[in-house]
Amino acid sequence: MLERAALEDVIRFHGHYCPGVMIGYRAALGALDLLGVERAQDEELVAICETEACGLDAVQVLTGCTMGKGNLILRDWGKQVFSFGRRADGRFLRLALRFGATDDPALADLPEAERRRLTAARMETMPLEELFDVRWIEAPLPEPARIFRSVRCAVCGEGVMEARARLRDGQPICPACAGPEYTRLA
Ligand SMILES: [Zn+2]
Ligand SMILES: [Zn+2]
């Protein structure tokens, strides 16, 4: 079964089976289904993830929206919210985990590992709408990823993407050489 194979890919990539990765798994498969698209080869699909937790790995494996390709945008807001946009027509779908949806009081007294495994298993088959608040949203799609040229840092001599460099005395400096203040602001 396709979904079983997809889950195995996700677990292989993520390293373990957990409730967190299942959140991303369900959000990603649900979005592909509702948007009627396949895994993105290029940038035809864009994802905005509001968490840097386990689910992010499932989104990358299943949707083809990846950090390296630039069609995955991470907003580190600590929210289990995943939005997916289709470039062809700008349709944008937002899935927000319902608060408490993954809790099952019947599992509360089990040892941690067992509770997590059973919670993840239960999430595999929960109706999508029970797990997430799913809605179509109006939002501008992020710009496609751009390719920036590299400049040479005047301090360390290493290359740095022009858009990440800052100027000091008219010379480009990389974030590492510019110091922690710049890194924090970036
Ligand atoms: Zn995990
Ligand atoms: Zn440098």
Side-chain angles (χ1 to χ4, degrees), residues 24-183:
Y25 169 88
R26 292 301 310 272
L29 286 189
L32 291 179
D33 184 36
L34 290 166
L35 283 162
V37 291
E38 304 278 322
R39 187 179 190 280
Q41 294 292 328
D42 202 359
E43 290 190 51
E44 57 269 30
L45 200 62
V46 54
I48 299 176
C49 297
E50 298 179 23
T51 176
E52 56 162 7
C54 300
L56 193 56
D57 282 347
V59 168
Q60 295 189 87
V61 170
L62 297 172
T63 68
C65 296
T66 68
M67 292 299 289
K69 222 154 53 185
N71 58 343
L72 176 83
I73 292 164
L74 176 62
R75 288 186 187 146
D76 189 11
W77 293 348
K79 296 181 70 177
Q80 297 284 6
V81 176
F82 304 85
S83 304
F84 300 89
R86 183 170 59 190
R87 289 215 182 275
D89 58 4
R91 291 282 272 162
F92 222 130
L93 186 71
R94 180 180 189 272
L95 301 99
L97 185 72
R98 292 185 189 281
F99 190 78
T102 62
D103 300 343
D104 184 348
L107 305 178
D109 295 332
L110 293 175
E112 167 88 7
E114 182 70 351
R115 180 169 52 77
R116 286 171 59 79
R117 191 181 63 76
L118 290 173
T119 299
R122 174 172 160 269
M123 290 168 64
E124 275 186 52
T125 54
M126 275 176 76
L128 192 68
E129 296 274 353
E130 232 173 81
L131 206 47
F132 298 103
D133 174 55
V134 183
R135 59 181 77 179
W136 295 98
I137 55 169
E138 295 290 332
L141 281 178
E143 292 287 314
R146 284 193 289 156
I147 295 170
F148 291 97
R149 70 183 189 112
S150 279
V151 294
R152 190 170 196 192
C153 172
V155 176
C156 67
E158 293 174 354
V160 54
M161 199 205 314
E162 195 173 24
R164 295 282 185 276
R166 76 180 331 199
L167 284 181
R168 185 190 293 166
D169 302 328
Q171 299 292 314
I173 310 271
C174 78
C177 292
E181 187 181 329
Y182 176 73
T183 305

Side-chain angles (χ1 to χ4, degrees), residues 14 16 18 54:
H14 181 56
H16 59 243
C18 67
C54 300

